[in-house]
Amino acid sequence: MIKPIELVIFDCDGVLVDSERIAARVQVALGAELGWPLTEDEVVDRFIGRSHAAIREQVAARLGEETATIWSDRFEQLHGEAVDAGLAPVEGLPEALDALTLPMCVASSGSHDKMRHTLGRTGLYERFAGRIYSATEVFRGKPAPDLFLHAARQMGVDPAACVVVEDSQPGVHAARAAGMRAFGYAGGLTPAARLEGHETVVFHDMRKLPALITER
């Protein structure tokens, strides 16, 4: 028997705030600058949805620890500047949040500092204050289920009664591994085909999310 939904867990980047395009652009620029030429598609495959630590490991394996440190520091600087210059909520997201009546929280690969910055910049931080969870709090980041299971525990909800809203392939894999139903938002950088799978509803318009959740 399918449990009624008791909690909606949102990813942050690319789901609440339209930051993945910024991140991809910065990663492409850093690759060109530091010796690892990357296309946007390659950045989506390798980096989008993964934790800062996981991305740093990839850069270190390719370019060495010293360059990985420079890359990480430069990313934080350039990403922060770009966010301040013009970050916005994902299109249709405020309307979706207004229409949802279920408890909600955030579980993101990003750090708490990063989320305070991006959610604060877009006026969304207060909507989730006290219910924001980061991959820095668990041993394994996405695609492992640890972060979503941690969020469910903190919110006091059975994983089977949770749904996850994600925009990345590692994110939907993590939701499935946690035994949660997933909603894959394909209005961003990740193609819809990479989000499809068991217990996953793929959608393109964030305004339709409340109705889709109600139907589940």
Side-chain angles (χ1 to χ4, degrees), residues 28-51:
V28 168
L30 286 173
E33 176 186 330
L34 297 174
W36 188 4
L38 291 162
T39 65
E40 184 178 275
D41 283 346
E42 288 171 329
V43 168
V44 171
D45 283 342
R46 290 180 174 273
F47 297 162
I48 296 300
R50 300 187 185 274
S51 68

Side-chain angles (χ1 to χ4, degrees), residues 66-78:
E66 183 177 347
T67 302
T69 298
I70 295 169
W71 186 304
S72 295
D73 291 345
R74 290 277 288 146
F75 179 82
E76 293 297 324
Q77 175 196 348
L78 295 173

Side-chain angles (χ1 to χ4, degrees), residues 79-155:
H79 185 270
E81 291 172 357
V83 164
D84 286 341
L87 182 65
V90 164
E91 184 178 357
L93 186 277
E95 297 95 313
L97 294 181
D98 288 342
L100 282 168
T101 57
L102 291 161
M104 296 177 277
C105 70
V106 179
S108 171
S109 294
S111 67
H112 281 286
D113 284 345
K114 181 181 177 185
M115 286 187 280
R116 270 190 293 270
H117 187 201
T118 57
L119 294 175
R121 189 71 184 172
T122 52
L124 295 172
Y125 188 81
E126 291 305 318
R127 283 185 181 257
F128 294 98
R131 293 169 285 118
I132 299 173
Y133 308 102
S134 165
T136 59
E137 300 169 45
V138 297
F139 181 67
R140 299 178 301 171
K142 305 169 189 176
D146 303 31
L147 177 58
F148 292 141
L149 293 173
H150 171 66
R153 281 194 300 270
Q154 295 300 308
M155 295 293 292

